[in-house]
Structures are given as C-alpha cells and as structure tokens.
Amino acid sequence: MTDVLAATTLPTATDAAPGSAHTVDTHIATPLTDARAQLAEAIGLLGYETGLHQMLATPRRELTVAVPLRLDSGESRLYVGHRVQHNFSRGPAKGGLRYAPNVNLDEVRALAMWMTWKCALLDVPYGGAKGGLAIDPREHSMAELERVTRRYTSEILPIIGPERDIPAPDIGTDEQTMAWIMDTYSVNSGYTVPGIVTGKPISLGGSQGRASATSRGVTHIALAALRHAGLDPARSTAAVQGFGKVGADAARFLSEAGVTVTAVSDQYGAVLNVAGLDIEALTDHVRATGTVVGFAGAEALDGAELLIQDVDLLVPAAVEGVLHDGNAPDVLASVIVEGANGPTTPAADRILRERGVLVVPDILANAGGVIVSYFEWVQANQAYWWRADEVESRLEERMLSAWQHVLGYAQARGLSLRTAATALAVERVAEAHRLRGLYP
C-alpha cells in the first residue's frame, strides 16, 4: 500500500490549453493523461499554485493486490487487483469496482480522479475512489466469481469501510458482487455492515431506484440539453453506444420520453432502424442472445459507424476514449451526453466545440449513480428506507440543479460545459483542502 502526496510528473496548465503545442496526441493518450489534462486546464483557469495542483493530481492512497483463485477444475490462477483512493477532503472515498481483462492501475487512477470531481460537482460528501480486477468475468462460473470477489475484498479490507471507502458496481460487476463484498466485510467485522457498499440487492439494504439511477440521470440531462439546444425531445433522434448497465435503460427512458432511438450498439456490433427501434423488443432479444446483433427489427451496423450517425443526440455509454480526433470531425449529432466515463478525448473535445456540438461531460451526465448511492448509504446508516418515487424525485432535483449551475457558470465565463464542470468541482475540493489545512 502506498500513501503518496506528490511524486509524479504533472502536465502544466499550459500543456492542456486549447491549441497548445504540448497537447497529448490522442493516439497515445490514456484515461489518466486525459484526466490530468482536464485538471490542468481547470487549475490554469482558477489560478492555483503548483503544490495544490500536485496534490489534486495525485491519488492519496493506492493498493495493488495479488488475488489467487481456485478454479472449479481444481487449477489455480492469479489475478491483479487495484483500489485507488484519490481524495478524502470532502468525505469518505466512493467509487465503483470493475472486472475487465484490460484493467490497469493508470485507468483506475483516472476513474478515481473523475469520481472526486463528480462527487464535488453534485455536492455529495464523498471523495473519489475506484477499484478494478484484471479478469474477464465471462470466462468464470458464479462460484469462481464469488471466490475471487471474496478474496479481493479480503485483500483490500484494511482500507475500505462505510466511513473510509464505499465500493459500488461498475463494468463486469453487479448487485450480487456487492452482496459478496458486504458479507465478507461483515463476517470480518462480526456484525452486519450494510453501509460498506452501495448498489446491493434491495433485500440486503439496497435502495429503490439504484440499479437504473445512472441511466435516469443521463436521461434527465439529455432532455434538458436537447431543449437548451432548441430541439424538441419528442421530435429528436438518438443513438446510444453501449447497451449495458447504463445504455440499455437510457435508451428505454429516452424512448419513453418521446425520443426516437434509431441505433444502439454493444461490444459485438450495432443495429439501426431509422424509423426507431422497439427498445422493449430489443431488450428481450438481448436477454435471449446476449447481444444486440441479429435483432430482427433492425439492420446490422458497424459499431464504429454508430458514433457518426445522423442523429440529434449521441449517448456514448460504453468505455473511455471512443470519441477522438480521428472520428470527431465526422460526428453529426448536435448534442453529446456522456453516459460512460471519459468517452471523449481532449482533442475530440476541441474539435467538437469548434463545430458547435454541445458536449455534456461525464462528471455531470452520469452522476445519477453516485447520487442514489449516496441516498442508499444515508438510508443504510439510518436504517430507514425511502420509496421509489422519493428517490427518483430527489435524483431529478439534484441532476437538474447541477445542470443549471454548470450551464450558468459556463455561459457567464464563455467556457465549455466540461471546463465549467471541472473548474466548479476542483474549486470545491480545493476549498475543502484550504479549510482543513495541511497536517502537521
């Protein structure tokens, strides 16, 4: 376990400025270089000194663990896991846990940093964290996933807790994963601790509305952004990249709001119906086959082509870096609402802004999950549960309030929504640093 304060080479504010000769080439960029470039731009805008920049750019604590797994066959394998806690200044660390074969420490660092800004922007009393295990869950049985989850939890046990760091589901994990983490932590504590995770089953203290919270938040912001752009949602079209935890429900909620969803994709391919996809039938098809490919109510589409479809709204809801300088000039959507974390590189951001495309950043657009995770944590601590309509109305209020705040900040200063959102969040975290002081 390392507790680091400032032992890294950081980009300067000028390096991240639009048009800078030192801007990172998107072909070699990573989520971490993107996250640091966004921070550097905000630091330059706010005029903060180098020492504070270093503290905000560097995780407070990182833990990398070896996670052995006994397979059902009796063989053993070893996987590498991480937990990064980026900031504690505004409260305990909070962030998801992803299982994916390409998980690496730099990716987890970037996601933890974005989580810090997301919590601050939505005024949730958390700092950012993230966890990951470099494993492909599709290659393992439920019994193997339970064993590897419990072992990973045991390895990171010293740094997590309801007042320290609260994991949640992410790519490759779900409410069952959270149940295993909760049980492992509780067994080691000697009593049940429902507040150790969020996104757990309702029967174990989960919150109504948590499973679809990120998608609902994306939808609230997408509808507000369309109206801001002068588009009537009932006459608008949309394409959704990713038909998983976020994208599937976002497509459903958009369709229910009157938006015509014409294209969706997953890791295997994409489908298109210019008259509008039947999202309910598509969902049934995915449940039966595991993919959108082959859906009878649409024609096949190359996955990369989805991002440049002629639609009003594009929702990238899959992975990082899918919009870059190679495809940003061809994007036809007027509004982009980021359902995924970091789907747009800094170079793509500049291109899209020059072209007049409204990009709503991830730390605002997909913050519904952390808001309802916060609600779940509050309910667990009080042992008092809210109704679904209470959760959803409070979610909508928080999302639209943040939208108006970011929009007003951006318009008053002539900034993009991403720069405005990051600057607002960084300002709040920096203020917490200032008020708490530096110990000793």
Side-chain angles (χ1 to χ4, degrees):
M1 180 169 62
T2 57
D3 225 343
V4 239
L5 280 180
T8 186
T9 303
L10 302 173
T12 64
T14 1
D15 288 339
S20 166
H22 301 290
T23 299
V24 177
D25 180 355
T26 56
H27 295 296
I28 59 171
T30 66
L32 185 59
T33 59
D34 289 351
R36 285 179 170 168
Q38 291 162 10
L39 171 61
E41 185 177 10
I43 291 289
L45 180 70
L46 296 166
Y48 292 153
E49 46 92 17
T50 301
L52 180 58
H53 183 189
Q54 288 178 320
M55 284 194 290
L56 294 177
T58 307
R60 292 293 299 276
R61 183 176 293 133
E62 300 176 346
L63 180 60
T64 294
V65 295
V67 184
L69 168 64
R70 183 181 296 108
L71 302 179
D72 295 337
S73 65
E75 299 175 77
S76 295
R77 287 188 190 169
L78 186 72
Y79 296 98
V80 175
H82 309 283
R83 189 71 186 175
V84 173
Q85 297 167 344
H86 177 257
N87 193 274
F88 311 124
S89 294
R90 302 183 73 256
K94 182 81 184 77
L97 168 64
R98 64 174 49 181
Y99 287 178
N102 59 348
V103 163
N104 61 76
L105 185 54
D106 276 355
E107 176 191 44
V108 178
R109 286 168 172 159
L111 294 166
M113 185 187 298
W114 280 323
M115 194 66 177
T116 295
W117 312 144
K118 189 181 299 184
C119 292
L121 183 65
L122 275 294
D123 202 20
V124 172
Y126 290 140
K130 203 73 177 185
L133 189 63
I135 186 173
D136 189 342
R138 296 168 298 182
E139 295 180 354
H140 294 277
S141 68
M142 286 292 285
E144 289 172 346
L145 290 174
E146 178 176 359
R147 289 196 291 272
V148 81
T149 298
R150 291 184 182 275
R151 183 57 184 256
Y152 169 80
T153 304
S154 298
E155 296 291 344
I156 67 167
L157 211 59
I159 66 167
I160 62 171
E163 295 86 24
R164 295 181 179 183
D165 181 358
I166 306 113
D170 197 86
I171 294 170
T173 60
D174 56 20
E175 62 177 23
Q176 179 60 72
T177 315
M178 297 303 107
W180 292 328
I181 294 175
M182 175 190 149
D183 182 67
T184 305
Y185 186 90
S186 298
V187 167
N188 279 271
S189 299
Y191 55 92
T192 298
V193 187
I196 176 57
V197 291
T198 60
K200 56 189 172 293
I202 289 175
S203 59
L204 293 180
S207 175
Q208 296 283 348
R210 172 60 184 85
S212 61
T214 304
S215 307
R216 283 197 181 278
V218 166
T219 304
H220 289 315
I221 295 298
L223 297 175
L226 285 169
R227 294 186 185 104
H228 174 72
L231 298 168
D232 178 1
R235 297 175 180 272
S236 299
T237 55
V240 179
Q241 187 213 25
F243 204 70
K245 283 191 184 72
V246 177
D249 279 338
R252 176 165 64 90
F253 295 146
L254 286 168
S255 181
E256 289 172 356
V259 177
T260 302
V261 180
T262 61
V264 301
S265 68
D266 60 19
Q267 61 186 314
Y268 305 107
V271 291
L272 169 72
N273 184 334
V274 293
L277 292 164
D278 183 335
I279 301 300
E280 186 176 347
L282 178 59
T283 301
D284 290 340
H285 171 80
V286 171
R287 285 198 192 102
T289 67
T291 176
V292 301
V293 175
F295 177 54
E299 60 184 90
L301 180 70
D302 180 77
E305 294 293 312
L306 178 134
L307 296 166
I308 57 173
Q309 287 300 299
D310 187 6
V311 290
D312 300 305
L313 169 67
L314 173 63
V315 180
V319 294
E320 304 90 2
V322 297
L323 293 171
H324 46 76
D325 57 356
N327 59 11
D330 300 320
V331 170
L332 297 177
S334 304
V335 177
I336 297 174
V337 176
E338 295 183 337
N341 291 314
T344 311
T345 67
D349 250 342
R350 289 190 291 276
I351 294 168
L352 293 167
R353 187 178 185 190
E354 289 166 2
R355 297 182 56 226
V357 178
L358 180 67
V359 179
V360 185
D362 47 6
I363 63 170
L364 171 59
N366 68 23
V370 73
I371 291 173
V372 179
S373 279
Y374 169 57
F375 294 165
E376 180 178 333
W377 182 70
V378 168
Q379 292 170 81
N381 290 339
Q382 295 177 334
Y384 182 82
W385 312 107
W386 304 346
R387 299 188 312 271
D389 62 313
E390 293 178 295
V391 172
E392 289 172 11
S393 65
R394 290 174 181 180
L395 169 63
E396 182 177 10
E397 180 185 358
R398 293 290 283 264
M399 292 299 297
L400 295 181
S401 174
W403 160 258
Q404 291 297 336
H405 196 183
V406 172
L407 184 62
Y409 192 96
Q411 290 176 328
R413 293 162 178 79
L415 303 173
S416 69
L417 291 179
R418 187 183 313 282
T419 302
T422 305
L424 270 169
V426 169
E427 192 172 33
R428 287 177 177 172
V429 176
E431 176 68 359
H433 272 291
R434 185 188 68 79
L435 291 170
R436 291 183 62 154
L438 189 60
Y439 176 82

